Amino acid sequence: MNRRGSLLLAVAAAALFAASNARAQEKLEIFSWWAGDEGPALKALIDLYSAQNPKVQVINSTVTGGSGVNARAVLKTRMLGGDPPDSFQVHAGQELIGTWVVANRMEDLSGLFKSEGWNQVFPPGLLGLLSARGGVWSVPVNIHRSNVMWYVPANLKKWGVTPPKTWDEFLVTCKTLQQKGVQHPLALGENWTTVHLWESVALGVLGPDDWAGLWSGKLKFTDPKAVAVWNTFGKVLACTNPDASGLSWQQATDRVLKGGAAFNVMGDWAAGYMTTTLKLKPGEGFGWAPSPGTSGVFMMLSDSFGLPKGAKHRDAAMKWLKLLGSKEGQDTFNPLKGSIAARLDSDLTKYNAYLQSAAKDWKSNKVVGSLAHGAVAPESFSSQFGTVMEIFTSGNNAQAAASAAQAIADQVGLGAATPAAPGRG
Ligand code: GAL
C-alpha cells in the first residue's frame, strides 16, 4: 500500500473509533429553568454527578425564565411529542401530579424511595405532596420559602423605617418612603412575580387556614374575606415600579440593592443570587423578614425531578435521581441555591445565616404551600391565574377578579385535587 493509501486507512480507522466511542458513551439529559444566574447550584450537582459517573456525558438543557414560565411550555411540546428529557425539573405537588402523572407519562418512583430509605428522611408532609394515585412521582432536592421580604439594612436605617409587620403597616411605610423620595418602595418584576407578590399578600390578609381553604375548596374566592385580599393587593401594587413587566426577578432584586426601592417580596432563591452570584453577606449586604402579616408561617415550595416514561437514558437518570435525594447531593446544591435541604438530616454547618434561619422556621412554623410555584393548585388553575391578574390590573375591580378566580376554580374542579397539607407533617 502506498503512503496515501495507508493514510486514508488510518483516517478511516480513527473515524470509526470515534463513532463507536460516541455510541458507547452514555448520556443524561436533564432539563430545567436554572440558566445563567440561576445555574451555579445545578452546576455543582452536575459536577458531582460527573465525578461519580465519568462515562456519562451530561447534557444540561435549560430554558431561561424565572419560575419555569418558558420551560414548562417547551417541556409540554417535548412530552407530547414523545421526546422527553431523561429527567426534568418540576415543582413538587400539583404541578406534576395534575399534568404528567394524570396523563400517565411518569414512572412511579416508590421503589426508589424504598430502596434509598427516603420514606424516613423526607418529612411526611412533603412525601404527601409528591404522592398520588398510589405512587411517588418525583425526587425533591430542596425546600424554598416564598414569603420573604428582602431589604438592605443600611438603607432602611438611612430612611428611618423598619420592615413592616402587616400589610397595613406596609402601606404607611410606603407613604413615608415616598415622602423621602423613594417613589416606588416595593420592587416588582415580570408577570409571574406579580402572582408571587399576590400570594404573600393573600397569606398575610387571610392567615394560613383560610389560605389553605382556598385550595381545598373550603373558602370561595368570592367570599368577602378573599375579595378583601384584592383590595389590599391593589393598594400594595400602587407602591411598585411602573416598569415591572420589563424586569427579571434578579433585576427587581438589584433595584433594592442599589437603593432604588426599599423592599422586594421574593422566594429565597433571591438569597442564592445575593450570596452566590453577588457575594453579599446575609445580615449585612441584605436583610430579610417574613413578608408582612406572615410571621410564624412558612409558605413552601420544592424543586423536584421526575423520570418520564420513555426516557432514553433511564439508568443514567436513576443515578441522577439517587444523587438528588442523597445527603451529599442536597448539601452540595442547597447552600448555593438559597434553599434548605428537603432531607431532615442535612448538615446545617454548611449553610449561611439566612439559610440557618430558614431551616429553623421550617421546623417551627406553620407550613402552607405556594400557588405561584406549583404546590397547591394544578397547572390548569395556575396557568389561568394570569388572566385573573390581568382582569384585576385592568380595572382594579376586586369583585371581578374574585369571580373570575372562582369560575376557573370551578372549571378545573380545584377542591377535588386538594393536596395533603404540604409541610413537614
Ligand atoms: C422557582 C423555583 C426556584 C427558582 C425560581 C426562580 O419556581 O422553584 O428554584 O428557580 O423559580 O426562577
Side-chain angles (χ1 to χ4, degrees), residues 33-34 38 66-67 91 144 192 249 269 301 303 337 373:
W33 60 86
W34 289 329
E38 293 228 57
S67 179
H91 290 123
H144 264 308
W192 71 267
W249 66 263
W269 41 92
L301 59 119
D303 292 303
K337 182 66 174 67
H373 307 278

Side-chain angles (χ1 to χ4, degrees), residues 33-293:
W33 60 86
W34 289 329
D37 283 336
E38 293 228 57
L42 178 62
K43 173 155 189 317
L45 205 50
I46 292 176
D47 287 349
L48 191 58
Y49 182 89
S50 298
Q52 291 174 0
N53 305 281
K55 291 208 177 110
V56 182
Q57 181 197 346
V58 181
I59 302 161
N60 181 13
S61 301
T62 55
V63 178
T64 318
S67 179
V69 279
N70 305 321
R72 268 189 293 282
V74 175
L75 179 70
K76 191 172 184 177
T77 310
R78 292 193 54 176
M79 290 292 277
L80 294 176
D83 176 33
D86 296 315
S87 185
F88 60 85
Q89 177 192 2
V90 63
H91 290 123
Q94 289 303 303
E95 186 173 304
L96 177 63
I97 310 273
T99 50
W100 305 117
V101 173
V102 296
N104 198 21
R105 291 298 178 93
M106 302 303 292
E107 283 203 34
D108 176 10
L109 301 172
S110 308
L112 182 65
F113 273 68
K114 212 167 165 210
S115 60
E116 295 298 300
W118 289 343
N119 295 321
Q120 282 71 49
V121 296
F122 292 126
L126 180 60
L127 289 167
L129 201 60
L130 303 165
S131 307
R133 305 181 164 214
V136 188
W137 302 102
S138 59
V139 178
V141 66
N142 66 4
I143 299 292
H144 264 308
R145 185 175 193 176
S146 164
N147 60 318
V148 194
M149 182 173 242
W150 308 96
Y151 56 88
V152 175
N155 288 348
L156 295 199
K157 206 166 160 207
K158 182 177 79 190
W159 293 319
V161 298
T162 50
K165 294 210 161 45
T166 63
W167 283 109
D168 283 345
E169 202 184 310
F170 167 83
L171 294 172
V172 175
T173 307
C174 170
K175 278 223 174 74
T176 308
L177 286 163
Q178 284 170 333
Q179 281 155 9
K180 297 196 172 182
V182 188
Q183 287 312 318
H184 309 292
L186 184 63
L188 189 65
E190 59 187 314
N191 284 357
W192 71 267
T193 74
T194 311
V195 179
H196 188 103
L197 175 62
W198 184 86
E199 71 182 11
S200 259
V201 173
L203 181 62
V205 171
L206 292 172
D209 294 340
D210 279 340
W211 169 259
L214 281 180
W215 314 112
S216 66
K218 259 197 202 147
L219 186 75
K220 297 261 183 235
F221 285 88
T222 44
D223 186 289
K225 284 197 271 186
V227 177
V229 170
W230 291 101
N231 289 324
T232 303
F233 184 62
K235 293 178 199 153
V236 171
L237 272 189
C239 295
T240 64
N241 41 302
D243 62 347
S245 64
L247 302 187
S248 66
W249 66 263
Q250 291 95 330
Q251 288 171 320
T253 305
D254 290 343
R255 200 156 278 190
V256 174
L257 297 175
K258 290 187 183 138
F263 304 106
N264 174 230
V265 171
M266 188 39 59
D268 47 14
W269 41 92
Y273 171 60
M274 290 187 280
T275 55
T276 305
T277 305
L278 303 180
K279 312 281 179 226
L280 296 178
K281 195 160 177 226
E284 286 176 21
F286 68 93
W288 64 92
S291 53

